[in-house]
Each structure stands twice: as structure tokens, then as C-alpha cells.
Amino acid sequence: MESPNPSIPIPKPGTGTAGVLREIAWAFLKLGSTAFGGPAAHIAIMEQEFVRHRRWLTHAEFLDLLGATNLIPGPNSTEMAIHIGHRRGGWLGLIIAGVCFILPAMLIVGGIAWAYVRFGTLPQAAGLLYGVKPVIVAIIVQALWSLARTAVKTKWLALAALMAAALSACGVDELLILFGTAFAVLVARSLGREKATNVMAFLPLLTAPTTSAVAAGTTVVAPFSLWALFLFFAKVGSVLFGSGYVLLAFLRADLVERWHWLTESQLLDAIAVGQITPGPVFTTATFIGYILGGPTAALLATVGIFLPAFIFVAISGPLIPRLRAWPLTGAFLDGLNVASLALMAVVTFHLGHAALIDWTTVLLAVIAAVLLLRYKLNSAWLVLGGAAAGMCIGH
């Protein structure tokens, strides 16, 4: 049960002191070094760290930031880090949080890329993932339960969340689900309770999947250049919505099929590195940059793919409290929040199916859940414990 009087006050943007900025830097360096499992897991760990443990945000504020990150392109967990840094320490906090969250993953991936270029193979990580994945599932489920109790405030929001989850499971585009659910909740609230059910009934129509014709580009072998690499990853970071699988489609279309800068095998290895290392999955760009052009290319690729996230958050972040204050836009945010949690729940189901493969992994997940719920153990220690257990078991 959270205390009604948080022990650590939440400063307004722009009031960051040197002590606050150091606190932000340390918190996100630690998170970037230990947060395995992809965006859903990162967001769950942030909820535990910054809402429950450090009390920098309330559950309602965290949910509003989560909804906002789903409206802009780029890596969601990195954007959440940037938003939280801005709320805690102003504009300097925004920059420090984002850089410190990205930096550990960039250095780790850069080291793996160096070994890959030198030895031609990836280090074995099956044992580490075997132990980490069940722990990640437990962390996400705990965060989902906690956030849902704040977000699902009425039966209409619960109905909207269930419909959003069903549509996601059927393969409907994430953006259509987010905007469709938010719009349905806004209209339902403006019409009143008696007509809300009718609006919710039309939610599947509002989010009906659409087909888009993608023009097939001519296959041309393009010469590699650092500038072209930077622009490519800046473009990806500016337009990419969705999961790491969407990132894979972007990378394959241009780097493998159009320009022939990478082979299929190199691309799959790059995606694997993004998955098995802590921190943002988008540090796949660091790996690709290194194998194409060494340390300079790795840095440019990393800056290119993450720079748009800083710009989008800087533009949208200050607007969120104002939007929440308006009744209709508040309803829109409520719909967006429950849709975001529904998408997160569907991702968690798939993660659980892949992670809980035997009695040992189920036991690890149960132990992690008990330690989280009963003893409030920090999630970073749980992830490290899961990694150690997986390595000891030897899978």
C-alpha cells in the first residue's frame, strides 16, 4: 500500500538541482545496465523503480506518460525514461535520463560488436536468457496489475481494455487500437452513460484493420557512407511505431534487400544482440553501425535512431499536464491508457508462452512474483538473480 505522503517530493520541470541530476543519472545508468526483456519489461521495471520505490511519480502520472509515448514514434521505453527525467529534473534531467539509459547498452553492444567482427560469432547467451525471461514475466505482470487498478476506473474503461486486447490478439495495428480506443472513450464520456455501450460496440469498426499498399523499391546496391547511415537511422527513429519486429522489417527492407549493406545472417545476429542485452532494443543500430564502419559508424547510428525520441518528448512532454486538465482530452488519455495496458498484456501473454517452458522456469517466475509482492525486492536484483540461476542451470 502506497503512503499518501510520498517521502520524496516530485519537483516541477526546471527545478533540477545538482543532487537531483546526479540521482537521475545514477538511477538510469543502473536501469540501462540491468533492464532486460524489451520495452514492456523496461516499463514495468520503471513503474516499480520510480512509482513504488523512489516515488518520483504517482500511478496516474506514470500512466499519462505511458499513453503519451505510444502516440509518438520511436523506442517507447527510452521515451519513458526521457519523460521521467524531465518530470524529475527539468530539461537537463530530460537529457541526462535518456543518455544514461542508452549509454550502458550502447557500450555493451559495442563490445559485443567488436568481438563479432574479430571472431565472427556471438557469445552464448542461452543460459542467461533462460533464467531472466521468467523473472521478466513476473515483473511485467506485477506492474500490469498495479497500473490497471489506477487506469481502469469504470466498467466502460474495463470494457474498452478488453476490446483493445481482443483486437490486438487478432492482429489489428497498434496505432489503430490506441487511437480508436481513445476516441471511443472520449465520445462515450461526452454522450453520457446511457449511450456509452453503443459507442463501445462500434470500437471494432473504429479500429478495423486497413491494408496499405507498399511500393516495391528497385533493388540498387548503394555505396556505404557514414552520412547515409546516420540519415537512415534518423529516419527509422522518426517514423517507427510498434515492436522490435517492426524494426526488423525496416532494417531488412533497406539494409539487406535494397542496399545490400548487410547479409540476412548479420541482420538476425544484430536483432539477437538487441534482445539479449539490457537497455533499449534499438541499440541494434549500434551493432549494425560497428560492423559496417567501426566505432564512428556505431556512434552515428546510435545517435541517429535515438535523437528523434529526445525531440518528440521535448515537444510533447510539457503538454501532457495541460491535456489532463481538460475534461475531453482527459477522457482521451484515459482511453489511451487502458489501450496501452491492453497491448502490454497481449505482449506479456506471448512473452510468458515463450519464457515458461518447463517447471524450472515456472518456479523462477513464482519465486520472483513472491519476492516482488511480499518483500518488495528491487527488480534489478531479481533480474540479476534470474541471470545467475540460468547460467548455473546451464541451458
Side-chain angles (χ1 to χ4, degrees):
M1 201 74 179
E2 289 185 11
S3 167
N5 298 310
S7 58
I8 302 177
I10 304 171
K12 296 178 181 179
T15 61
T17 63
V20 169
L21 296 177
R22 282 196 298 271
E23 186 181 28
I24 292 170
W26 169 245
F28 282 101
L29 281 172
K30 183 183 76 170
L31 192 67
S33 303
T34 58
F36 289 88
H42 299 166
I43 289 167
I45 293 170
M46 288 180 193
E47 185 272 340
Q48 206 224 18
E49 179 72 15
F50 300 116
V51 177
R52 291 172 172 272
H53 177 56
R54 295 179 182 269
R55 300 183 186 276
W56 289 2
L57 301 166
T58 66
H59 273 111
E61 289 170 324
F62 188 88
L63 282 164
D64 283 346
L65 296 183
L66 177 60
T69 60
N70 281 291
L71 284 178
I72 57 178
N76 284 2
S77 58
T78 304
E79 288 164 349
M80 277 296 289
I82 297 170
H83 268 304
I84 293 169
H86 179 247
R87 283 294 182 92
R88 183 65 177 165
W91 296 109
L92 279 177
L94 178 151
I95 296 169
I96 289 170
V99 170
C100 288
F101 183 58
I102 296 165
L103 185 62
M106 185 186 78
L107 295 175
I108 293 169
V109 171
I112 295 174
W114 172 85
Y116 181 85
V117 169
R118 179 156 187 174
F119 304 111
T121 186
L122 288 176
Q124 295 299 314
L128 182 145
L129 289 178
Y130 177 82
V132 165
K133 285 181 178 179
V135 174
I136 291 298
V137 171
I139 292 170
I140 299 175
V141 169
Q142 184 251 9
L144 273 172
W145 174 251
S146 175
L147 292 172
R149 287 189 298 173
T150 300
V152 185
K153 296 177 281 193
T154 67
K155 63 181 180 180
W156 308 117
L157 286 173
L159 179 61
L162 289 173
M163 286 186 169
L167 291 167
S168 177
C170 292
V172 177
D173 182 80
E174 289 93 343
L175 277 183
L176 290 173
I177 294 172
L178 288 165
F179 280 106
T181 304
F183 181 72
V185 171
L186 185 153
V187 174
R189 191 168 297 177
S190 64
L191 292 176
R193 280 188 188 177
E194 62 278 0
K195 297 182 180 178
T197 305
N198 294 332
V199 174
M200 290 303 169
F202 283 98
L203 178 56
L205 297 178
L206 291 171
T207 58
T210 58
T211 56
S212 58
V214 180
T218 306
T219 302
V220 177
V221 179
F224 171 78
S225 73
L226 294 176
W227 180 240
L229 180 75
F230 173 80
L231 289 179
F232 167 74
F233 279 109
K235 179 195 76 173
V236 170
S238 299
V239 301
L240 182 61
F241 288 90
S243 68
Y245 296 108
V246 182
L247 174 63
L248 174 60
F250 270 81
L251 298 177
R252 188 175 186 278
D254 280 345
L255 300 185
V256 176
E257 293 188 333
R258 280 190 62 206
W259 300 337
H260 298 292
W261 289 0
L262 295 177
T263 65
E264 291 276 8
S265 176
Q266 287 174 324
L267 177 60
L268 291 174
D269 286 342
I271 294 293
V273 167
Q275 297 288 337
I276 66 174
T277 50
V281 175
F282 276 33
T283 47
T284 295
T286 308
F287 185 88
I288 291 173
Y290 193 98
I291 64 176
L292 288 175
T296 302
L299 180 61
L300 285 174
T302 307
V303 171
I305 202 166
F306 285 109
L307 182 61
F310 286 86
I311 296 171
F312 290 138
V313 171
I315 294 171
S316 64
L319 299 177
I320 296 170
R322 298 178 188 179
L323 293 176
R324 172 53 73 187
W326 298 337
L328 287 183
T329 53
F332 188 86
L333 281 174
D334 284 341
L336 195 64
N337 289 341
V338 295
S340 298
L341 292 180
L343 294 177
M344 194 171 164
V346 174
V347 169
T348 305
F349 175 80
H350 292 297
L351 287 174
H353 183 71
L356 306 180
I357 56 176
D358 54 30
W359 286 109
T360 304
T361 50
V362 171
L363 182 61
L364 284 172
V366 170
I367 292 171
V370 170
L371 291 174
L372 274 173
L373 296 171
R374 178 69 179 84
Y375 299 102
K376 313 297 182 187
L377 191 65
N378 190 287
S379 55
W381 293 112
L382 287 174
V383 170
L384 291 174
M391 298 298 285
C392 290
I393 293 168
H395 278 259

